[in-house]
Amino acid sequence: MGLFGSRGRRKGIPNDPALLAAAAENPGGSVAEIDSTYIDDPDGYVPPEAIRGAWLVDGSGKLTGEYQENPRHGVPQDDFGKLTDPDHWLGWLGDDPATAVRQGIEDSLRAQAADAVVEWVKILETPRFLTGGRRDSEDEQLMVVTRAALAAPFALSVRAAQHGRSVLLGVFSWVAVNLAQPESRKDRHWFDLGVGLDWAGERLRGRIYEIDGEDGDTVAR
C-alpha cells in the first residue's frame, strides 16, 4: 500500500536541486510535490488537495524514481467535520453550524478588508465548547441554556485585492448570550491569528461572560 493508498509508478528522476535537497533530508521517506495553483508558500500550511503527489526517497536520501499520485489533488474544499462530528449541542448556531461559523469567519475578515473572499476553511481540531445555563424555575430537572461558546482552530485561504492570497492559521471564537431570550441575544466573535487551541480555550471561560457579566449561570464544557 502506498502513501496515498495505491502503489507508485516509475518516473524519470527530476534534476531539481530543491527536490534533491529535500530528499536528502528525508531518507526512507517521501517528498511532496505541491501545486502552486493553490498554495504560494509550500513551507506553510498545505491543504491535502494541494499536494499533487509524492516522490519516494530511499534509505540514503536519494529519489527512487517512484512517484505516487494523490487522488485527492484538486481545488481545496471546506472541511468542518471536526466542528460537526462531535456529539455536542450546536443548536445555538442554527440549522447549519458549519455555514454559520464560515460566515462568522468571513465577516471577521471583511471587517479588515471589505473585499475579502474566503476560498476555503478547514477546522483543524475538535473545538473547545462551553455551555452555560440555569435551572428552570418550574422544573428543576430541566436546564435552560442561557449562553454558549466555542473556540475552533482553523486554516484558511483568503483573497483580497490589496494583499492577494493569504493562508492564515489561528482560532475563531464565538460567544452568544441571552439565548433564553432571543430578543435580547448578543453575539461576539474573536479572530486570533497565530495562537493555539489551549491559548484560546483558556480565554473562552472569561469571554463567555465578557459581554454581559456573570448572572448565576453554571458553565460546563
Side-chain angles (χ1 to χ4, degrees):
M1 187 68 70
L3 184 66
F4 295 111
S6 60
R7 294 181 63 86
R9 60 187 178 86
R10 287 281 174 178
K11 295 181 68 174
I13 297 177
N15 187 25
D16 181 335
L19 188 63
L20 297 176
E25 295 175 358
N26 292 278
S30 61
V31 178
E33 180 184 9
I34 308 302
D35 189 340
S36 60
T37 304
Y38 308 118
I39 291 295
D40 300 321
D41 180 10
D43 295 323
Y45 175 82
V46 177
E49 300 94 331
I51 301 175
R52 290 184 182 276
W55 295 91
L56 300 189
V57 182
D58 66 19
S60 64
K62 296 181 179 180
L63 297 176
T64 65
E66 194 170 9
Y67 182 83
Q68 297 181 336
E69 295 181 346
N70 177 13
R72 296 182 60 187
H73 173 239
V75 180
Q77 304 294 314
D78 287 351
D79 185 353
F80 285 86
K82 288 185 171 58
L83 169 71
T84 56
D85 287 349
D87 186 17
H88 189 91
W89 178 72
L90 295 174
W92 61 283
L93 293 174
D95 294 333
D96 190 343
T99 296
V101 169
R102 195 187 203 281
Q103 186 63 56
I105 289 173
E106 194 162 66
D107 289 346
S108 297
L109 288 164
R110 286 182 174 169
Q112 303 173 50
D115 65 341
V117 175
V118 176
E119 296 181 315
W120 49 263
V121 179
K122 294 183 183 293
I123 302 302
L124 302 180
E125 301 177 56
T126 300
R128 301 285 170 82
F129 300 107
L130 292 178
T131 306
R134 53 177 171 76
R135 295 291 181 184
D136 188 288
S137 59
E138 297 181 358
D139 186 346
E140 291 191 355
Q141 299 302 311
L142 296 178
M143 179 72 76
V144 177
V145 176
T146 58
R147 63 185 69 221
L150 64 81
F154 65 81
L156 64 82
S157 177
V158 58
R159 280 189 177 275
Q162 183 176 357
H163 304 289
R165 174 200 285 142
S166 299
V167 173
L168 306 178
L169 291 165
V171 179
F172 175 73
S173 300
W174 185 340
V175 168
V177 302
N178 298 334
L179 295 178
Q181 301 171 301
E183 69 281 0
S184 302
R185 174 170 170 159
K186 297 178 183 178
D187 293 73
R188 183 177 296 176
H189 299 157
W190 287 263
F191 192 78
D192 298 305
L193 293 177
V195 304
L197 184 56
D198 287 342
W199 183 94
E202 289 176 2
R203 282 151 184 80
L204 200 61
R205 280 190 166 270
R207 288 173 168 177
I208 201 170
Y209 290 115
E210 213 168 283
I211 303 177
D212 63 349
E214 299 190 35
D215 57 6
D217 296 346
T218 300
V219 174
R221 293 185 182 277

